[in-house]
Amino acid sequence: MNSVRPPLVDGHGRAIGDVRVSVTDRCNFRCQYCMPAEGLPWLERSDVLTFEEIERLVTLLVQMGVHDVRLTGGEPLVRRDFPVLAARLAAIPGLQDLSVTTNGYLLDRDADALVAAGVHRFNVSIDSLQRDRFFEMTRRDALPRVLAGIERLAAHPEAHPIKINAVAIRGFTEDEVLPFARFAREHPYEVRFIEFMPLDADHTWTPGSVLSGAELRELIGREYPLEEAPREPSATARVYRFADGQGQLGFIDPVSDPFCGDCNRIRLTADGKLRTCLFSHNETDLRTPLRDGSSDDAIDAIIRAAVWRKELKHRVNEPGYVQPLRTMSAIGG
Ligand code: SAM
Ligand code: SF4
């Protein structure tokens, strides 16, 4: 089914297989590395793609060879009837993998419905396992509720392995790494550390604020020796197993060890803009053609032309790097 249309390939020969779909720019948290304390000006509801529009675009992309769809935001679970959207997307013929990235706050309410809808892969973001430090980073006193949500999800065998994502920031995460390593050893979860990227609304990122994957592995390895596991070409994470076989950790190192060469991802914002890189300065409007009666073939041509120009690599480590206007929650991480 996913060969109904020619494959979607960029100008550097990379076949696109993965789309991150932001279903809302709104969020119930205010993580320091993402949003300002006061929030951001939200999109008007009429500017946000409807379920029908998202379904049409995802169907088209799957026909072009996209096999993985990750739903994100903002916080995807704050979108009304989100499990209904998930079920509609899960039913698209040819779609192999539907996953969700969430802060976990509403998982206690929605985990059962999302698993029933056909979502079997979840990334839950937690930056600290200590309640006060979790509050400091997210500006919400919500750790117990998030952990309860994860337990609810963990009751579903088909939702495993659950991934827990922590953003690694110098001056904060050093004290978190060993508790997270123990957590990963004691639970059937894969904890993954993501290097802090210059996509925060407060513009506090500096090269020095990145706590690199190599530094984290060094800190953890002193206590719990690690061994690298084989890596899939387009995987974002390097996986390391504990040498004694008790669990594993993932490291997503986009700053210190970019994986752009194998990037097979594109992104769709909540207001229907196609982005070919997290760090893009350009985006392509798909909402207008969706709403002006354009045919699927016409939208296919617009997507193909944009993807052809997909950036070879990000320039975060180059002098004169400029952060995109949209920040993480408005892009869809
Ligand atoms: N609200 C959901 C959540 O937090 O999981 C989904 C959207 S959030 C933008 C997606 C992921 O991006 C989260 O794992 C979050 O920790 C990560 N993130 C946000 N800002 C980041 C930054 N500046 N650098 C690295 N990761 C970031
Ligand atoms: Fe919200 Fe996720 Fe951004 Fe935190 S990282 S403010 S939970 S969108």
Side-chain angles (χ1 to χ4, degrees), residues 27-31 33-35 73-75 103 125 328-329:
C27 188
N28 43 6
F29 282 18
R30 297 286 181 274
C31 304
Y33 49 76
C34 182
M35 280 219 198
E75 172 48 37
N103 63 27
S125 305
M328 194 59 132
S329 62

Side-chain angles (χ1 to χ4, degrees), residues 1-290:
M1 184 66 193
N2 50 358
S3 57
V4 172
R5 295 170 182 274
L8 188 56
V9 181
D10 78 3
H12 306 286
R14 295 171 296 191
I16 304 303
D18 183 319
V19 62
R20 310 283 162 109
V21 178
S22 172
V23 301
T24 179
D25 61 326
R26 294 173 194 235
C27 188
N28 43 6
F29 282 18
R30 297 286 181 274
C31 304
Q32 297 212 21
Y33 49 76
C34 182
M35 280 219 198
E38 64 279 14
L40 290 166
W42 309 129
L43 292 167
E44 295 290 329
R45 283 186 199 280
S46 58
D47 289 338
V48 174
L49 296 190
T50 63
F51 287 1
E52 289 70 25
E53 290 166 338
I54 295 173
E55 189 180 1
R56 182 174 169 204
L57 279 181
V58 172
T59 302
L60 199 50
L61 288 166
V62 170
Q63 290 173 354
M64 298 162 103
V66 166
H67 40 79
D68 288 8
V69 174
R70 173 167 295 280
L71 302 175
T72 180
E75 172 48 37
L77 275 62
V78 304
R79 174 95 189 235
R80 186 194 297 226
D81 293 330
F82 177 60
V84 174
L85 172 65
R88 286 172 70 159
L89 300 182
I92 293 175
L95 178 62
Q96 291 168 16
D97 191 288
L98 181 65
S99 55
V100 169
T101 300
T102 172
N103 63 27
Y105 189 74
L106 294 171
L107 264 183
D108 197 30
R109 183 192 75 186
D110 286 348
D112 300 353
L114 287 170
V115 173
V119 181
H120 296 153
R121 288 209 303 133
F122 292 83
N123 289 357
V124 186
S125 305
I126 302 186
D127 302 304
S128 172
L129 292 166
Q130 302 172 64
R131 186 168 177 169
D132 56 336
R133 303 197 83 229
F134 181 100
F135 180 26
E136 185 192 336
M137 190 52 84
T138 61
R139 303 181 175 114
R140 296 290 183 268
D141 182 15
L143 180 63
R145 185 165 165 164
V146 171
L147 292 174
I150 294 174
E151 275 182 35
R152 179 104 197 181
L153 183 61
H156 296 274
E158 58 272 58
H160 288 272
I162 297 168
K163 292 184 176 143
I164 308 290
N165 288 345
V167 178
I169 303 178
R170 190 177 306 284
F172 182 86
T173 309
E174 293 88 337
D175 291 342
E176 305 298 329
V177 285
L178 288 180
F180 270 125
R182 283 183 211 112
F183 189 70
R185 290 168 63 77
E186 289 162 8
H187 297 86
Y189 310 144
E190 182 181 320
V191 174
R192 311 188 318 163
F193 296 98
I194 307 177
E195 287 178 351
F196 182 25
M197 292 180 270
L199 295 168
D200 59 315
D202 286 338
H203 294 264
T204 60
W205 184 94
T206 61
S209 60
V210 180
L211 185 60
S212 72
E215 289 173 273
L216 293 167
R217 291 191 286 275
E218 219 275 308
L219 285 172
I220 297 163
R222 286 182 207 162
E223 191 84 14
Y224 302 109
L226 296 169
E227 290 170 353
E228 187 164 8
R231 186 181 187 178
E232 302 247 330
S234 61
T236 51
R238 283 172 178 272
V239 175
Y240 283 70
R241 297 190 194 110
F242 290 106
D244 62 5
Q246 204 182 325
Q248 60 184 35
L249 294 172
F251 298 87
I252 302 174
D253 302 342
V255 181
S256 69
D257 187 12
F259 33 80
C260 307
D262 296 319
C263 181
N264 70 344
R265 282 172 290 285
I266 54 174
R267 292 184 149 76
L268 182 67
T269 67
D271 55 343
K273 304 287 194 294
L274 179 71
R275 294 178 62 88
T276 49
C277 174
L278 254 184
F279 301 95
S280 291
H281 287 285
N282 300 311
E283 40 191 42
T284 302
D285 177 25
L286 299 180
R287 191 184 63 205
T288 302
L290 274 173

